[in-house]
Amino acid sequence: MLKNLPLPELEEWCVSVGEPPKRAKQLYRWLYGNRKWIRHLDQADSDAQAFSGAFKAKVAAGASLAGGLQLQSVHTARDGTRKLVFALVGDWEGGDGPAGSARGTVETVLIPMTNRQGQNLRYTACLSTQVGCAMNCQFCYTGRMGLLGNLTTAQIIEQVVEARRYLAEQEVQIPIANIVFMGMGEPLHNYDAVMAAIEILATGLELSRNKIIVSTVGLVPEMRRFIASGRAKLAVSLHATTDEVRDWIVPTNRRYPLDELLGALREAFPYDKRKGDDFVVIEYVLLAGVNDTLADAERLLALTSDIYCLVNLIVFNPHDGTQFKRSSDEDVRAFRGVFLRAGRPCTVRASKGDDEMAACGQLGDVNLSPRPAPLLRPPEALAARLAAGVSGNMAVQP
């Protein structure tokens, strides 16, 4: 699949079939160029830069322009957020099925954004990197699926290509200006495919480093590699201020506890050496009675005091079967106020698309999973607080 290949590798492939390296750039323009997005080489025939019959034969003999996804449905929320649901087709790296099987669906979200003046409307595309997720964050609907498989680079990139095709067909003049890897899956758990996709986004789809954010729950070795690459901006899903709570709601913390995770961020983003927009985004979903107290806010302020970061608070978006509740508006304001009074930047992410299960933490389909991920037992200190919100038929594991 040629869409798996960043430009240098595509140049190598062209040379391997007897073509000059410049053929790769020609392909890139037609695969990713504005309002081109071809599915097969014949679509370029009417252009002066059309492909020769000999080259078409070489592609037909051993390559494909397919992206491994087929747009299945689009769900538009009241606020204009669009959730695109794709069926997986062709070869993909399935978790349990053989190569070549197509299992499940993957979702992409187009989020309408404006500047502070309510102008310059554009979309942020929230991309998925896996079918399901292995991290088992307790508040996340995708995490309930478990991991069903990794997406290929082509399938990651095709989400953007298909989204642009869809908007053009619908005569929507709003551009996709930003990319966030915050959809289904843990991006750094599919590291090589994601890094190749970022390279294609930059060279083929012409999106700069500052327009791409990759979010991780804190896979520290991969996170260090990602930071060193300098290819995109980083967001870290922290969500708790103590190991006791984070071990429960973000089980990855049992492998990489707060000291190790925050230590890596202090090394990479030292506050005393801050410069420009080279900061990390700290994501923090507020869960009523779990991590939203003033004590949590004070701890988070202290934990991040020597990290050059922006704290982004996320209002919890509920889903069927969850044991969590969203924090009250009053508690959100109070939590943020701790940062503002200290002169530290802290934003609240506007919840968009929640009426179509398109908001943060709502993507996926648990019914696709033969074995949903386990619900874990909360720490004893929190269990009583949550008891009223826990369904009697919810099985938990230690």
Side-chain angles (χ1 to χ4, degrees), residues 42-177:
D42 289 344
Q43 289 179 281
D45 282 353
S46 62
D47 192 269
Q49 297 294 317
F51 297 95
S52 69
F55 180 68
K56 290 179 184 179
K58 293 174 183 177
V59 171
S64 168
L65 271 61
L69 297 179
Q70 183 174 9
L71 184 59
Q72 200 172 58
S73 61
V74 178
H75 307 265
T76 303
R78 289 187 298 268
D79 60 21
T81 299
R82 300 170 189 257
K83 180 170 76 172
L84 282 63
V85 181
F86 296 99
L88 278 66
V89 295
D91 290 340
W92 75 294
E93 191 178 337
D96 298 318
S101 65
R103 298 182 64 247
T105 58
V106 69
E107 298 175 3
T108 304
V109 181
L110 301 180
I111 307 164
M113 307 290 288
T114 62
N115 59 21
R116 292 178 181 177
Q117 291 73 42
Q119 302 170 336
N120 191 27
L121 182 63
R122 71 274 187 203
Y123 279 121
T124 291
C126 180
L127 305 187
S128 294
T129 56
Q130 297 176 309
V131 184
C133 183
M135 302 300 108
N136 195 23
C137 294
Q138 294 291 285
F139 50 83
C140 178
Y141 190 64
T142 308
R144 299 288 302 118
M145 296 175 65
L147 179 63
L148 301 182
N150 286 329
L151 297 185
T152 64
T153 295
Q155 289 167 327
I156 296 170
I157 287 297
E158 190 71 356
Q159 294 172 63
V160 183
V161 174
E162 278 289 348
R164 287 184 167 177
R165 283 190 189 121
Y166 167 77
L167 293 175
E169 289 168 1
Q170 298 298 311
E171 298 183 349
V172 176
Q173 302 299 316
I174 305 171
I176 296 174

Side-chain angles (χ1 to χ4, degrees), residues 265-335:
L265 294 180
R266 291 185 183 105
E267 291 175 15
F269 304 97
Y271 188 79
D272 58 355
K273 296 180 181 179
R274 60 193 181 278
K275 53 183 179 180
D277 60 358
D278 188 21
F279 58 84
V280 60
V281 178
I282 301 294
E283 299 172 306
Y284 195 95
V285 62
L286 291 166
L287 305 170
V290 175
N291 64 356
D292 65 344
T293 67
L294 290 178
D296 283 303
E298 295 287 357
R299 277 194 297 269
L300 184 58
L301 181 67
L303 287 170
T304 60
S305 62
D306 51 358
I307 300 171
Y308 187 33
C309 65
L310 166 69
V311 173
N312 184 218
L313 304 178
I314 303 170
V315 177
F316 174 63
N317 298 296
H319 54 264
D320 289 343
T322 185
Q323 58 188 305
F324 299 102
K325 296 180 180 178
R326 66 171 59 195
S327 302
S328 67
D329 291 346
E330 181 181 0
D331 286 342
V332 174
R333 286 193 296 269
F335 197 105

Side-chain angles (χ1 to χ4, degrees), residues 338-380:
V338 170
F339 282 80
L340 298 184
R341 285 191 295 275
R344 293 278 303 282
C346 180
T347 57
V348 178
R349 183 183 300 178
S351 182
K352 294 190 175 184
D354 57 334
D355 56 309
E356 288 290 345
M357 286 290 286
C360 181
Q362 291 185 324
L363 302 185
D365 183 355
V366 173
N367 294 321
L368 295 174
S369 178
R371 187 182 304 148
L375 294 168
L376 305 178
R377 191 178 302 279
E380 290 185 12

Side-chain angles (χ1 to χ4, degrees), residues 184-245:
M184 297 168 64
E186 159 59 51
L188 299 190
H189 194 212
N190 190 12
Y191 187 89
D192 291 340
V194 167
M195 296 305 287
I198 290 172
E199 190 172 341
I200 295 171
L201 286 170
T203 56
L205 293 161
E206 299 181 346
L207 289 159
S208 69
R209 171 189 180 276
N210 289 339
K211 301 295 185 181
I212 303 171
I213 300 179
V214 175
S215 177
T216 178
V217 294
L219 302 183
V220 174
E222 292 83 359
M223 187 182 76
R224 289 182 184 276
R225 286 177 62 197
F226 174 79
I227 294 170
S229 77
R231 290 187 182 177
K233 296 180 70 65
L234 177 70
V236 174
S237 298
L238 200 65
H239 306 317
T241 60
T242 67
D243 282 324
E244 181 183 36
V245 174

